[in-house]
Amino acid sequence: MSPVASPLQIESRVSLREHNSFGLPAVARTLVRVRSEADVRRVVDHPEFGLAPKLILGGGSNLVLTRDVDAVVLKIEIEGRRLVAETGDAWIVEAGAGERWHDLVAWTLEQGLPGLENLALIPGTVGAAPVQNIGAYGVELKDRFHSLDAVDLVTGRSVTLDAAMCRFGYRDSVFKQALAGKSVVTRVRLRLPKPWVPALGYLDLERKMAETGNTHPDARTIFDWVCAIRRAKLPDPAVIGNAGSFFKNPVVSAEQCRDIIDRDPEIVRYPLPDGSVKLAAGWLIDACGWKGKSVGRAGVYERQALVLVNRGGASGAEVVTLARAIQESVYGRFGIRLEPEPVIV
């Protein structure tokens, strides 16, 4: 006898306040807990949900909810972590899309598999990591990516995508473009190169080396440094609701950058290999006087202007109003349009 398939876990009228790191109020009409690829196919085949609009929810750390959600919310809870292959030049690690990203980073180091340490303490799930092409301290997900499995939300077919198919860009991927809302990431594989080479070319890490006198830190030390830096700059969502960095760092041409430097020589900037320049969005926002300011119950974090926070009881509308005011302010002073990182629903 073949095993009986477990039924879908379907919940109605679910508060999403606990399922988004901003702690914003919203109710999902229908929430389905997805714990396997088979669950995704069951949703696709479901007589009521199959053709309904879907909202894919991981850790909710990249989400601004401005209203109740009529779409079917797919809460991704697929677990599992394993080393799937080892070659002469890399380890290949696989994790379920519902695993917490930071837990995976910590686990790889415990297994003696370095390479993800610069991406420590980034909130959210493994499945969301390639969607956003997460990055921090000189490393992006695409630098460590091998492949992923996803299920098509129209056909129910499983597909495997390599890096080229994912079309990674700065905080961008095919899942925010052509495949937005059309497929669910179920498993992600990462390629951790051998021999391990530390990524230390970031100002905060250079400061840590200078402070400690440790110029050849191991992966665990870099992990600890990154955690300490992030904790000093960013509020814990369990204490103060937030979605991490709210705006992308804008990329401008060398010519645009020179114009800004003429007016504001202190601007924090990072030259890119193609000749363009990435500007620090937090610096731009701070320069416009927003640090610590509020609109209603939404505010700009006192220690890092790139982070918007829920000061208690904020609505999604207040967060969006604050974000728009910041955008207008930065555009008025610098002629640069800041783009939000989170998905606004």
Side-chain angles (χ1 to χ4, degrees):
M1 285 174 63
S2 60
V4 178
S6 56
L8 276 176
Q9 268 206 280
I10 302 165
E11 299 170 28
S12 300
R13 302 289 305 162
V14 178
S15 168
L16 296 177
R17 193 189 289 272
E18 299 296 314
H19 297 306
N20 75 95
S21 63
F22 245 119
L24 299 170
V27 172
R29 182 189 287 182
T30 306
L31 182 142
V32 180
R33 294 185 183 274
V34 172
R35 289 178 174 157
S36 66
E37 281 198 2
D39 281 350
V40 183
R41 284 191 278 278
R42 288 186 195 111
V43 170
V44 172
D45 293 338
H46 194 279
E48 185 185 346
F49 305 148
L51 296 173
K54 317 283 192 304
L55 173 68
I56 299 157
L57 181 62
S61 61
N62 198 43
L63 193 61
V64 178
L65 294 168
T66 62
R67 54 185 164 78
D68 290 344
V69 181
D70 288 330
V72 176
V73 175
L74 303 184
K75 179 79 172 66
I76 309 303
E77 298 180 350
I78 300 168
E79 296 181 343
R81 301 183 290 233
R82 64 191 183 118
L83 175 66
V84 290
E86 181 176 355
T87 64
D89 63 354
W91 297 280
I92 310 296
V93 171
E94 180 185 84
E99 291 280 347
R100 284 181 60 213
W101 173 261
H102 177 70
D103 291 350
L104 173 66
V105 176
W107 177 83
T108 55
L109 289 173
E110 284 158 16
Q111 305 303 308
L113 309 171
L116 299 178
E117 53 284 338
N118 293 57
L119 302 176
L121 222 58
I122 293 178
T125 56
V126 167
V131 175
Q132 183 74 355
N133 185 24
I134 59 171
Y137 303 102
V139 177
E140 285 188 317
L141 181 93
K142 69 178 175 63
D143 304 325
R144 301 287 183 264
F145 184 79
H146 180 272
S147 57
L148 61 76
D149 297 333
V151 177
D152 187 297
L153 280 174
V154 176
T155 65
R157 275 201 207 106
S158 294
V159 290
T160 297
L161 277 66
D162 62 15
M165 292 166 162
C166 288
R167 293 188 206 149
F168 291 123
Y170 172 55
R171 301 295 172 271
D172 198 17
S173 72
V174 72
F175 298 101
K176 286 184 144 189
Q177 308 293 337
L179 292 183
K182 293 178 183 170
S183 63
V184 174
V185 176
T186 54
R187 299 203 171 273
V188 177
R189 282 170 294 281
L190 301 161
R191 182 184 182 278
L192 309 180
K194 294 182 191 175
W196 173 75
V197 178
L200 294 165
Y202 214 85
L203 187 60
D204 286 324
L205 294 176
E206 287 170 2
R207 280 191 190 128
K208 282 285 184 191
M209 286 193 288
E211 278 169 24
T212 60
N214 183 351
T215 54
H216 294 87
D218 60 13
R220 169 58 69 174
T221 301
I222 295 170
F223 173 89
D224 291 340
W225 285 354
V226 168
C227 289
I229 293 163
R230 288 187 76 92
R231 286 192 177 112
K233 281 188 177 182
L234 305 171
D236 179 351
V239 181
I240 304 172
N242 74 91
S245 301
F246 197 91
F247 296 102
K248 297 179 185 179
N249 289 321
V251 176
V252 300
S253 67
E255 190 180 7
Q256 279 175 292
C257 187
R258 277 194 296 274
D259 287 345
I260 294 169
I261 291 168
D262 286 344
R263 284 174 289 146
D264 292 278
E266 295 84 37
I267 187 162
V268 177
R269 58 200 182 270
Y270 305 98
L272 299 176
D274 64 1
S276 61
V277 182
K278 187 192 291 182
L279 305 178
W283 188 93
L284 299 171
I285 296 163
D286 195 10
C288 292
W290 278 101
K291 198 183 272 184
K293 296 278 177 64
S294 297
V295 168
R297 291 158 295 182
V300 180
Y301 190 50
E302 288 74 9
R303 283 194 263 166
Q304 169 54 274
L306 195 52
V307 177
L308 305 192
V309 296
N310 180 351
R311 298 208 188 279
S315 67
E318 285 174 319
V319 173
V320 171
T321 301
L322 173 61
R324 286 192 181 136
I326 291 168
Q327 286 172 307
E328 284 170 20
S329 185
V330 169
Y331 184 73
R333 175 162 171 189
F334 296 102
I336 290 169
R337 293 198 188 279
L338 291 182
E339 200 181 324
E341 269 196 37
V343 176
I344 296 169
V345 176

